[in-house]
Amino acid sequence: MKRLLKPFCLSLLGLTLTWAQPSPAQSFEGLDISQPKKKKKSSRKPRGKKPGATQAPASDESDSDDAADSSDSSAATGAPAAPTAPSVEGTPAQPPSMGLDLTADTPPPTQTAPTMSFDAVDVSGKSGDRQRLDVAVSLFKNDEYDKAAMSAFEMIQDPKLAGLHMEARYVLAKALYRMGLYHSSLGEFSKILAVGPETKFFRTSLEWLFFISRKTKNEAVILDELARHANQEFPERFRSEFHYLLARYHFVRGKALDEVGRKEDADKSFNEVKRLVLLIPKTDIFYPRAKYLEGLAFFRFGNKAATASARRTDINTLGAIDSMKEVVRVTRNTAGLDAEQVSANQKLRELAFMQLGRTHYGMQQNRYALFYFNKVERGTTQWLESMFESSWANYRVGQYEQALGNLITLSSPFFREEYFPEAMILKAVIYYENCRYRESSLILQDFERTYLPVHDQLELITKKQLDASESYGVLADVQKKNKEGQEKGETDVILERILRLALTDQDLKKTNDSILELEGEMDLFSEKGDTFRYSELTKQLLEGLKVQRTALIEKAGIMAKGKLETELSALKQLLANGLRIKFETVTKEKEFLEEQLKAGGQVSIVKKYRYSVAVADDQLYWPYEGEYWRDELGTYQYTMTKGCVQRDTANRNIQQASGSN
């Protein structure tokens, strides 16, 4: 085997094993490419913006609701289109969730808050009730957000001040946001939005949803709330972001409907994704993200309708390819983007290359698949996955040496935490194809020794009939062990990889992030002053966060259980495939021994291959002696020194392979 300081160009040859393909579930990976939110301030800019101009997400410091910071100011009350679900003032909205049910309400408990007093402000000429609201507004403007929140909360608890409850709740919601209690703030803004567009704070509360989405780890926490008000007219500076987030909502909803067998409803959701993407200008920063969703929606329709004969010409498959190519084109230019946006676009670009590779692989166009898989840059988040999937494409075209070289990288100690069980199956198949039956059998024995115990543990977990919270508890325990750094045996390490693999599902990972974020927000209350910490407001907010956390755990548990069952099913299939290869290997060995006996030991099925260590001028041959160097990962190319007698070299001629592509 040789290592090259620079990867080889790959020759493309043809051989197909129909059951050996990357998992179809990978087709929808990478839905969310959002970056961790950073707190930052930006100077106020004029409201007006030319249609089609490139828009950057507005900072929460430059929001359009400053006019409502004073109690006697009037917020914009433009007549929105067709209210979706009007309700009476004061009706509590459900806690934000990521589920499909947009109607169920879960009101937080209400209790009487203790009476508090604040320093007097000049409120001459105003009524006593209005004076109390001005106190809360003044405290907010003086950055005393905890006092402003408690003052506004006292007013909400006083039934005699019903006429000012909406303005007081608006002050409360903004104060909680400034305190970093984003989920609690979202709950209060949701109550304002539940009243309907007749309140003067409806439009500005909608805008605050976008500010909250940029502060939380999972922007999906606002998707349900936005979907409830999809018929409203959003300010122009938020319109593209709204269309993108709404497209994400329908994409996630469509996936969920597919999983429960409601295909017609899922079709409507995915068609809505494609419609919303058309509303986003090409110059907008949300355009590449939206096009990626569009490509996945097209791929879903193409994957659903395609057959082996029609796959090449299916219009949806071609649409998926065009969308992903557009993502690659528009993310190439980084002019005018900050570091965070450049990083987000780079991740999106990698995901587009991966999806292009998978699409062509599914169409049996292995040369194109290899081209796009090799576009993923070394060391990026998708790099290992691209190497693994390109190994299958290399195998299909008979490029065995490159496939085995990729598998050496995947098995290096640097990636001991990664989970690629199928790599061992592919390795066994390649040795079988080269008449190396003994080596193939040994690899399969190693596979069974490693993964049968994992299969048994997974089966034990899935058969326990755990409820949703207990299923999530399995993942929570793994995260706790990782944090504490406990010692684990080999089987525990591999099982842990599978459990962490569940978190590679973007929906589950983001839901888990939201749970951890909620728990972090609950801990924040203990860092506040005693007056706020032990107030009735804090008690009610904590109760509301617990309700949200319970709902998210229920959702995460269902997804975790489904993911573990999927991994168990995949592992069963791999073990079954291993048994099939083992059977074929034993049969071939038996036939060879019988022929040898008949010929008096003169028959041979293996001979030495012709091979060369010559490399290009810009490459260097370096023999592999068992050690791994980080800068050499990804450059290995295995040398098949012997194999089937009917072949002159390990890799078949490129002209022969071209016919199968």
Side-chain angles (χ1 to χ4, degrees), residues 82-370:
T84 54
S87 59
V88 296
E89 181 168 340
T91 302
Q94 69 178 45
S97 68
M98 294 174 63
L100 297 179
D101 187 357
L102 305 181
T103 58
D105 292 335
T106 311
T110 56
Q111 300 182 25
T112 305
T115 303
M116 299 191 66
S117 60
F118 302 96
D119 296 335
V121 295
D122 183 9
V123 290
S124 56
K126 297 183 180 180
S127 66
D129 296 347
R130 178 60 66 176
Q131 291 174 18
R132 290 183 63 182
L133 184 60
D134 278 358
V135 169
V137 172
S138 177
L139 290 168
F140 179 87
K141 290 185 175 180
N142 290 331
D143 298 340
E144 298 180 81
Y145 302 125
D146 53 347
K147 293 181 180 180
M150 289 186 289
S151 179
F153 178 73
E154 284 183 10
M155 294 186 64
I156 295 171
Q157 298 300 103
D158 190 345
K160 297 178 181 179
L161 304 179
L164 296 176
H165 280 183
M166 190 59 59
E167 293 178 78
R169 191 176 299 281
Y170 187 69
V171 174
L172 171 61
K174 294 204 303 179
L176 293 173
Y177 175 91
R178 303 294 184 186
M179 295 171 70
L181 304 174
Y182 303 120
H183 291 271
S184 298
S185 175
L186 176 59
E188 298 304 317
F189 280 119
S190 296
K191 294 173 184 177
I192 296 173
L193 293 170
V195 177
E198 57 267 23
T199 172
K200 67 180 182 179
F201 297 105
F202 182 85
R203 296 286 296 279
T204 50
S205 294
L206 280 178
E207 295 183 17
W208 276 95
L209 295 183
F210 296 103
F211 304 143
I212 291 172
S213 74
R214 296 167 194 161
K215 295 294 186 181
T216 55
K217 292 181 180 178
N218 183 10
E219 63 185 12
V221 296
I222 71 161
L223 294 184
D224 286 351
E225 196 65 49
L226 283 176
R228 291 188 183 94
H229 309 290
N231 292 333
Q232 303 303 321
E233 184 68 22
F234 279 76
E236 183 179 341
R237 64 176 177 144
F238 295 108
R239 208 163 291 161
S240 292
E241 185 175 2
F242 165 68
H243 289 144
Y244 161 69
L245 290 173
L246 196 58
R248 267 201 65 198
Y249 166 81
H250 283 290
F251 182 84
V252 174
R253 183 174 184 271
K255 284 180 63 181
L257 290 169
D258 264 341
E259 290 172 2
V260 297
R262 295 170 56 184
K263 302 301 181 185
E264 292 184 2
D265 291 332
D267 288 349
K268 294 178 182 178
S269 286
F270 285 113
N271 281 323
E272 187 66 8
V273 171
K274 294 190 288 185
R275 185 190 70 83
L276 289 164
V277 171
L278 295 175
L279 302 177
I280 301 177
K282 188 172 182 177
T283 54
D284 194 274
I285 63 168
F286 291 99
Y287 176 75
R289 306 185 198 183
K291 290 298 287 185
Y292 182 76
L293 287 179
E294 180 188 62
L296 293 180
F298 272 119
F299 180 84
R300 179 263 181 188
F301 282 111
N303 217 31
K304 175 184 174 185
T307 62
S309 59
R311 191 180 296 271
R312 292 176 183 269
T313 57
D314 179 75
I315 189 171
N316 287 297
T317 302
L318 295 176
I321 292 174
D322 288 341
S323 295
M324 293 302 170
K325 285 183 177 179
E326 177 70 359
V327 172
V328 172
R329 281 192 292 268
V330 297
T331 54
R332 186 180 296 123
N333 184 13
T334 60
L337 301 179
D338 59 30
E340 186 175 331
Q341 293 164 352
V342 170
S343 177
N345 279 357
Q346 177 61 33
K347 289 185 177 181
L348 193 64
R349 185 180 175 85
E350 294 170 21
L351 292 169
F353 281 136
M354 289 296 295
Q355 194 62 31
L356 283 166
R358 289 165 180 160
T359 303
H360 285 293
Y361 181 89
M363 297 167 66
Q364 306 293 323
Q365 296 175 345
N366 300 302
R367 286 174 293 174
Y368 291 117
L370 285 169

Side-chain angles (χ1 to χ4, degrees), residues 423-436:
M424 296 181 72
I425 296 294
L426 176 57
K427 189 175 181 181
V429 170
I430 291 175
Y431 276 99
Y432 171 83
E433 290 284 335
N434 285 274
C435 305
R436 306 273 290 274

Side-chain angles (χ1 to χ4, degrees), residues 325-521:
K325 285 183 177 179
E326 177 70 359
V327 172
V328 172
R329 281 192 292 268
V330 297
T331 54
R332 186 180 296 123
N333 184 13
T334 60
L337 301 179
D338 59 30
E340 186 175 331
Q341 293 164 352
V342 170
S343 177
N345 279 357
Q346 177 61 33
K347 289 185 177 181
L348 193 64
R349 185 180 175 85
E350 294 170 21
L351 292 169
F353 281 136
M354 289 296 295
Q355 194 62 31
L356 283 166
R358 289 165 180 160
T359 303
H360 285 293
Y361 181 89
M363 297 167 66
Q364 306 293 323
Q365 296 175 345
N366 300 302
R367 286 174 293 174
Y368 291 117
L370 285 169
F371 172 80
Y372 287 114
F373 285 139
N374 292 332
K375 284 289 186 180
V376 178
E377 294 184 10
R378 182 179 182 275
T380 57
T381 55
Q382 295 294 318
W383 178 54
L384 288 181
E385 193 69 40
S386 70
M387 289 196 68
F388 169 65
E389 296 189 30
S390 67
S391 297
W392 279 111
N394 277 305
Y395 164 76
R396 277 185 171 182
V397 297
Q399 196 76 5
Y400 299 139
E401 297 185 334
Q402 187 60 57
L404 290 172
N406 289 353
L407 298 181
I408 290 173
T409 295
L410 294 176
S411 62
S412 74
F414 295 103
F415 307 124
R416 189 176 286 115
E417 299 300 315
E418 302 298 330
Y419 179 70
F420 292 102
E422 200 174 359
M424 296 181 72
I425 296 294
L426 176 57
K427 189 175 181 181
V429 170
I430 291 175
Y431 276 99
Y432 171 83
E433 290 284 335
N434 285 274
C435 305
R436 306 273 290 274
Y437 302 129
R438 178 55 55 192
E439 291 96 327
S440 180
S441 295
L442 291 174
I443 294 169
L444 292 172
Q445 289 175 17
D446 189 34
F447 175 77
E448 291 179 355
R449 182 172 57 254
T450 302
Y451 289 103
L452 266 177
V454 178
H455 167 272
D456 295 341
Q457 288 196 41
L458 269 178
E459 197 165 47
L460 184 63
I461 292 173
T462 55
K463 284 184 176 180
K464 282 183 178 179
Q465 301 298 321
L466 302 176
D467 60 29
S469 60
E470 290 172 328
S471 296
Y472 177 74
V474 174
L475 290 180
D477 289 343
V478 171
Q479 295 179 92
K480 183 179 179 181
K481 287 180 180 179
N482 286 342
K483 189 175 182 181
E484 296 174 353
Q486 297 181 7
E487 293 293 329
K488 298 172 281 291
E490 182 180 358
T491 301
D492 290 335
V493 169
I494 296 175
L495 180 60
E496 180 181 319
R497 292 179 199 170
I498 296 176
L499 296 176
R500 285 191 287 106
L501 180 65
L503 295 178
T504 62
D505 179 275
Q506 289 300 314
D507 295 333
L508 176 56
K509 181 181 184 300
K510 287 299 180 179
T511 304
N512 180 67
D513 287 344
S514 290
I515 293 171
L516 298 178
E517 190 173 53
L518 275 172
E519 293 172 349
E521 185 167 318

